[in-house]
Amino acid sequence: MTTARVDFIKYAALGVLATAATPAQAQVGTETSSYTMFGTPGLILMPTAEVAEDSELAITYSHFGPNTNGVLTFQISPRLSGTFRYSSIDNFWTSGPQTGQSFNDGSFDLQYRILNESDYLPAVSVGLRDFVSKGANSGEYIVATKSFGDRLRVHGGLGWGRLGSHNPIGATGGARAPWDPNQGSSLNANQWFRGDFAPFGGLSYKVNDKLTFKAEYSSDAFVEETQRGLVEYNSPFNFGIDYQISPSAHLNAAYVAGSMFGAGLTFTMNPRKPPVYSGSEKAPLPVKPRPSRADSAAWSTEWVSNPEDHAGIKRVASDALGKEGIQLKALALTATRAEVKIENNRYNALAQAVGRTVRILTHATPPSVETFEVTVVANGIPLSTVSMRRSDVERLEHAPANDMYARVTIDEASPVAVQNSELANHDTRFTWALAPYLKLSFFDPTKPIQGDSGVRLSASYEVTPNFVLSGALQKSIWGNLGDDSGPNTSTLPHVRTDSALYAQQGDPAIAHLTASWYERPGKNLYSRVTVGYLEQMFGGVSAELLWKPVDSRLALGAEIAWVKQRDYDQLFGFQDYDVVTGHVSAYYDFGNGFSTRVDVGRYLAGDFGATVSVDRNFDNGWKIGGYFTKTNASASGSFDKGIRISIPLEWALGSPTKSASVAELRSLSRDDGARLSVEGRLFDWVDQGHGDAYSGRWGRFWR
């Protein structure tokens, strides 16, 4: 490298460090709704320093030349975005048994804004493309964006890897390893910002609220596609338009490399912006004020010694709560106190269930009762107790919800008085449902998307409130999950990679058939024991213990299981393989919507390792996160990874429901890092009844 090029790199690096050290400026006009063909905020193929609106989730489908991309991009924070992309290059393989087949690969991107745009300085971002996969689109970049008025934006940067393949002007860190399409997915950190780098740039002009013109000078020379005769590369200049069909849909069209036309469609949504605003549920009962204390007859406490009065109060409260989708589990009364145990079966906001409960108590209980204590239970286990004064409920009904929040206490559940006041509730012990199901599998090299759909009959029976029998039987109607994609070459026990055999032979199938026992063995402790056919591929016994104080950000857990592999028909038989598996887990809530979880232990194939998860949780129930698993059986540099999204149906429908739509995008099922799937794991539901579950959505207390 020449001295001039060395100096250029040195001063460029110093400039980036200087901008990173500059105090954050107010953001000026660098949010965007325009996405590239690769599904990230930017121009056509090249990145920019623009960001999407915080929390925006974008789904993009694009095609140009031999390239097809399905992309999910999430603005994790105002500065950080993450992208999961599934790419396909048509007719990629030109020799061998795969001749004529496409190359398919899943990849991840990250981009971080190190400097917001100000009046005089541009926005600056640094990014990694395809940094934990086979590396088909692998590249790194530093890019700046400056706005000129409300319509024109100018962008420029330096790219490495694939983004440094056209007319490089220098190199850093020595030669970059050539891309090998036959290698497994791995974290290629030793290649970041290494090798040739090249400049790129462009501009975008917003003609009106709907139409934006874009042009760019691209540093991507399509080297691999050109060598294989898939692309005719004639020019580094790309041109495109972005047309906003609706506030949540954009259509892109582009002319790329002087030889290819392309188009893309992007749909966006934001957890903070529901399509249907809530409020369609029936209004709650108004708080019933008590009569004046001058009415001594109304304030009499003679009812306390009359069992018929107690029975009448319980009946009224139980009936009224049942209409609200809240099950009254127990009610204990003294002259001045009402203690209730409830199970919330309807409201995604726990505070709303508690608010409706105390409104009903103002109608059901005599005037002398001044203190309400509401204990929330799940699976028969008390999770937390909310205590308040009735006089505060009466006085603050029309005040801001936070005024009431300042006057309640949320403590460890210890409902002593109600322990011997359980209601029978025989009519709710048995529940069943018949519903459709859909199961999807991604990233098989020959079948990128596979699925199975059918109907599932599920049922559960409460032997006691904390001892539950449950099961599910499913029948496939349509699907291709059982299509045989070739011999299983895994050298580990086939704990997951025989999934096609389970799909072929398990129809109909017993999805699970279990008995679960939940307990509170001590202060801040929760336990679970589940026995039976635990999941599609394994049956046995699983035991779990969780330590989780009601107001703590930290939780610790441990699980151990002995399981045996089920027969492929998923009925009652077993195969010879059995294993002891288990993990110790740590959960931590950072308090700003982000949480993490680390599981360390032994997996189903007998391998040892760890899984690390990071999630962003929204007060309305949305949850978006990612994870990766690495074990001693994983290939060198390789690991399992995935993204999961949970969307509360209340957000989409506008009416209260605890149901959610859950989707998971992960690499192809593999035997290393495979963990047992058991319904009812403790943290998943215990945390929903603790402190943050109230504070985040206390605004719905009066709804």
Side-chain angles (χ1 to χ4, degrees):
M1 189 190 310
T2 66
T3 302
R5 288 180 176 178
V6 172
D7 289 342
F8 177 84
I9 295 296
K10 179 176 67 175
Y11 291 123
L14 290 174
V16 170
L17 291 175
T19 57
T22 304
Q25 306 290 326
Q27 186 166 312
V28 180
T30 49
E31 285 189 356
T32 185
S33 57
S34 176
Y35 285 78
T36 68
M37 292 292 179
F38 287 122
T40 58
L43 288 168
I44 301 166
L45 301 182
M46 295 295 102
T48 68
E50 296 169 304
V51 295
E53 184 180 6
D54 183 30
S55 308
E56 183 168 285
L57 184 69
I59 300 172
T60 299
Y61 180 83
S62 68
H63 180 82
F64 60 96
N67 297 274
T68 302
N69 298 283
V71 191
L72 180 72
T73 294
F74 178 54
Q75 192 66 39
I76 302 170
S77 72
R79 291 179 181 266
L80 179 66
S81 66
T83 297
F84 176 78
R85 181 185 306 103
Y86 190 70
S87 302
S88 178
I89 303 176
D90 295 339
N91 301 310
F92 180 84
W93 299 103
T94 57
S95 62
Q98 295 176 289
T99 299
Q101 294 184 10
S102 300
F103 173 81
N104 302 303
D105 186 31
S107 61
F108 291 86
D109 300 357
L110 285 175
Q111 176 173 302
Y112 184 74
R113 167 82 70 80
I114 59 177
L115 181 68
N116 285 332
E117 183 177 353
S118 66
D119 290 339
Y120 302 104
L121 294 176
V124 179
S125 292
V126 60
L128 304 172
R129 272 190 183 176
D130 197 358
F131 68 99
V132 285
S133 76
K134 294 182 178 180
N137 297 307
S138 178
E140 305 79 48
Y141 59 87
I142 300 172
V143 63
T145 292
K146 189 71 182 78
S147 302
F148 296 91
D150 295 331
R151 297 181 182 274
L152 178 64
R153 289 180 182 173
V154 178
H155 319 272
L158 294 175
W160 284 256
R162 178 159 184 155
L163 296 177
S165 58
H166 177 72
N167 284 343
I169 60 173
T172 56
R176 191 181 185 105
W179 172 51
D180 180 4
N182 293 299
Q183 70 180 359
S185 298
S186 62
L187 183 66
N188 51 13
N190 62 341
Q191 300 296 306
W192 296 351
F193 298 98
R194 183 186 181 103
D196 292 344
F197 63 86
F200 62 85
L203 55 86
S204 58
Y205 183 77
K206 193 169 185 177
V207 179
N208 52 46
D209 291 340
K210 296 285 188 180
L211 182 63
T212 300
F213 286 125
K214 299 186 286 187
E216 67 182 17
Y217 173 83
S218 171
S219 57
D220 179 359
F222 292 91
V223 174
E224 190 73 27
E225 292 92 335
T226 300
Q227 290 176 350
R228 293 172 181 265
L230 304 176
V231 169
E232 182 182 343
Y233 184 78
N234 296 326
S235 171
F237 293 98
N238 303 325
F239 304 92
I241 60 171
D242 178 280
Y243 183 76
Q244 183 173 341
I245 303 171
S246 71
S248 60
H250 285 252
L251 178 65
N252 296 312
Y255 183 60
V256 176
S259 62
M260 297 179 285
F261 288 96
L265 188 61
T266 298
F267 295 96
T268 62
M269 64 182 79
N270 196 310
R272 300 177 183 275
K273 298 179 178 180
V276 179
Y277 285 92
S278 61
S280 61
E281 68 267 28
K282 181 181 177 181
L285 284 173
V287 173
K288 182 180 180 181
R290 289 175 287 184
S292 169
R293 285 186 175 271
D295 187 350
S296 57
W299 284 79
S300 170
T301 59
E302 292 181 0
W303 62 271
V304 176
S305 58
N306 187 342
E308 292 184 1
D309 286 340
H310 282 258
I313 293 170
K314 291 180 180 179
R315 183 173 59 254
V316 170
S318 181
D319 290 346
L321 286 169
K323 294 176 182 177
E324 298 285 357
I326 301 169
Q327 184 178 349
L328 180 64
K329 291 289 191 178
L331 171 59
L333 297 163
T334 68
T336 60
R337 182 183 301 269
E339 296 183 29
V340 297
K341 286 168 66 176
I342 63 166
E343 184 165 3
N344 168 34
N345 297 316
R346 177 177 295 173
Y347 299 99
N348 192 36
L350 189 55
Q352 187 172 7
V354 173
R356 296 209 168 200
T357 298
V358 298
R359 286 175 179 270
I360 288 171
L361 291 178
T362 65
H363 289 261
T365 59
S368 64
V369 175
E370 167 62 11
T371 301
F372 295 149
E373 293 191 357
V374 181
T375 296
V376 176
V377 304
N379 292 314
I381 301 302
L383 301 178
S384 57
T385 297
V386 185
S387 303
M388 66 198 77
R389 296 170 55 195
R390 183 173 183 170
S391 53
D392 288 334
V393 175
E394 294 168 334
R395 180 170 56 88
L396 299 174
E397 180 184 14
H398 301 293
N402 283 340
D403 291 355
M404 189 67 206
Y405 185 69
R407 289 164 175 79
V408 306
T409 59
I410 303 172
D411 294 316
E412 170 81 2
S414 54
V416 178
V418 297
Q419 287 181 352
N420 298 317
S421 305
E422 303 284 348
L423 303 183
N425 292 314
H426 291 291
D427 57 330
T428 59
R429 284 189 171 185
F430 178 76
T431 59
W432 69 277
L434 181 65
Y437 74 88
L438 174 64
K439 183 178 180 180
L440 297 175
S441 175
F442 301 89
F443 316 140
D444 185 287
T446 59
K447 301 180 182 66
I449 300 178
Q450 295 175 281
D452 179 46
S453 60
V455 293
R456 176 181 287 122
L457 175 65
S458 58
S460 66
Y461 179 74
E462 291 185 3
V463 180
T464 65
N466 62 326
F467 182 47
V468 182
L469 305 177
S470 66
L473 181 68
Q474 65 185 36
K475 177 69 176 72
S476 174
I477 296 176
W478 177 89
N480 63 348
L481 282 176
D483 292 354
D484 191 4
S485 58
N488 190 336
T489 59
S490 173
T491 58
L492 296 173
H494 296 175
V495 295
R496 290 296 185 229
T497 52
D498 278 343
S499 57
L501 295 176
Y502 282 92
Q504 289 169 8
Q505 301 181 33
D507 185 28
I510 299 173
H512 76 274
L513 184 61
T514 59
S516 298
W517 176 45
Y518 304 92
E519 266 297 349
R520 289 289 304 271
K523 183 177 175 61
N524 300 324
L525 292 176
Y526 303 83
S527 64
R528 171 190 59 81
V529 177
T530 304
V531 180
Y533 298 91
L534 305 175
E535 52 145 273
Q536 178 189 34
M537 299 184 187
F538 285 90
V541 56
S542 166
E544 185 183 7
L545 183 68
L546 176 72
W547 174 83
K548 174 65 171 71
V550 70
D551 58 351
S552 174
R553 293 184 179 182
L554 176 68
L556 302 173
E559 180 181 4
I560 189 168
W562 173 84
V563 292
K564 195 173 178 67
Q565 192 157 14
R566 296 177 62 185
D567 280 343
Y568 297 132
D569 62 10
Q570 298 172 68
L571 296 178
F572 296 101
F574 288 94
Q575 301 182 46
D576 292 336
Y577 181 74
D578 66 273
V579 65
V580 174
T581 178
H583 291 76
V584 292
S585 305
Y587 312 80
Y588 191 77
D589 183 351
F590 291 99
N592 55 0
F594 290 90
S595 62
T596 188
R597 170 179 175 174
V598 179
D599 302 290
V600 180
R602 192 183 196 212
Y603 293 83
L604 285 171
D607 48 328
F608 292 87
T611 300
V612 178
S613 307
V614 178
D615 294 281
R616 184 172 183 184
N617 307 281
F618 296 85
D619 291 338
N620 59 9
W622 265 78
K623 186 174 182 178
I624 302 176
Y627 65 89
F628 67 87
T629 298
K630 177 73 173 177
T631 79
N632 62 337
S634 302
S636 177
S638 178
F639 50 87
D640 188 24
K641 65 270 186 185
I643 292 175
R644 51 177 173 254
I645 303 172
S646 178
I647 304 175
L649 295 187
E650 178 185 88
W651 179 87
L653 302 176
S655 57
T657 175
K658 295 183 69 177
S659 299
S661 176
V662 180
E664 183 172 332
L665 302 176
R666 59 172 298 170
S667 52
L668 191 65
S669 292
R670 45 203 285 170
D671 293 321
D672 60 292
R675 190 174 181 188
L676 189 67
S677 177
V678 183
E679 291 193 356
R681 278 199 167 104
L682 294 173
F683 187 83
D684 296 339
W685 54 271
V686 169
D687 185 58
Q688 294 178 12
H690 280 188
D692 285 347
Y694 294 99
S695 60
R697 302 201 71 191
W698 191 262
R700 299 189 67 84
F701 180 81
W702 293 121
R703 296 288 295 273

